[in-house]
Amino acid sequence: MGNALLQSIHVHPVKAFRSLPLREVVVEPWGPAGDRRWMLTDDGGRVVTQRGHPRLALAAAELLPGGGLRLSAPGRDPVTVPVPAPGGPTERVEIFRDKIDVVPAEGDAVHAWCSAFLGADVRLVHLDDPATRRPVDPGFALPGETVSLADGYPLLLTTTASLDALNTLVAGGDHADEGPLPMNRFRPNLVVEGTTAWAEDTWSRITVGEVAFRVAKPSGRCVVTTTDQRTAERGREPLHSLGRHRRFGHRLVFGQNLVPLAPGTVRVGDPVTVLA
């Protein structure tokens, strides 16, 4: 794998919103800077994602200096969201199996904007202290590892060779008309080119430029991957093909979850080296 390179970098300032491409990003212990530090919750305090609301794919969040956001969506005027003032009140919310403390976004207008766009009563919340709020799954973590509001791990890596292989499977399957699928279906942070298909299944430790990562576990995929990120419409792929060819136990696998071993900066074009 001597010519593997980092092809692209993506962050998701608001969990479940459209991805934002970057040329470089600072990798913090809990994930890329600016990635999934905000999310929506429903009236019961539970995370809201594209699993239940595919329309979220149409909403975009631009990162502003200092960590604030500019939210935009079709048919709505943009709204600016400042980072909540330090020391403000927190509230307990539920993100999958985790219950964590977050800080609500300031101002009723922000919550009203999000609710009107989605057609549901939702609130925008901020993870103010990613260093302490949410540990990585202890079954796959080292002591002290934490994660942002990502599904479970600080970063997700995919490879272009594996996507090409998957699209070949889709083309030969029952729903060939749905392919080829773009990489944004899988919502990765790091996309690597120059590997063989499925090579990432065998990795346990890698470097991307100056940053070393531990490969924690394969990424089990869900219905979000069937959502067209441009239209919010759903199909059958890639879950149909993953179910036939990439089933590992109860999981349909595409990509690998990473935990950084130390902070640093990664850049598009950085070499990717497998250490173990």
Side-chain angles (χ1 to χ4, degrees), residues 237-266:
E237 293 291 3
L239 291 186
H240 179 78
S241 292
L242 291 175
R244 294 182 62 194
H245 303 282
R246 293 283 296 168
R247 184 183 295 274
F248 295 81
H250 299 295
R251 298 179 187 273
L252 311 183
V253 168
F254 187 89
Q256 296 288 331
N257 291 299
L258 305 182
V259 180
L261 297 177
T265 299
V266 297

Side-chain angles (χ1 to χ4, degrees), residues 122-190:
V122 296
R123 288 166 57 77
L124 183 67
V125 300
H126 177 65
L127 180 64
D128 61 324
D129 186 7
T132 64
R133 296 284 191 217
R134 187 179 177 221
V136 173
D137 181 345
F140 298 92
L142 299 178
E145 291 180 343
T146 61
V147 61
S148 66
L149 299 173
D151 279 4
Y153 298 87
L155 295 97
L156 174 65
L157 175 148
T158 59
T159 70
T160 58
S162 294
L163 180 63
D164 290 344
L166 177 59
N167 275 323
T168 297
L169 297 174
V170 170
D174 298 332
H175 306 284
D177 59 314
E178 294 188 22
L181 304 176
M183 190 66 86
N184 64 12
R185 291 288 188 96
F186 303 95
R187 301 179 62 78
N189 297 116
L190 306 180

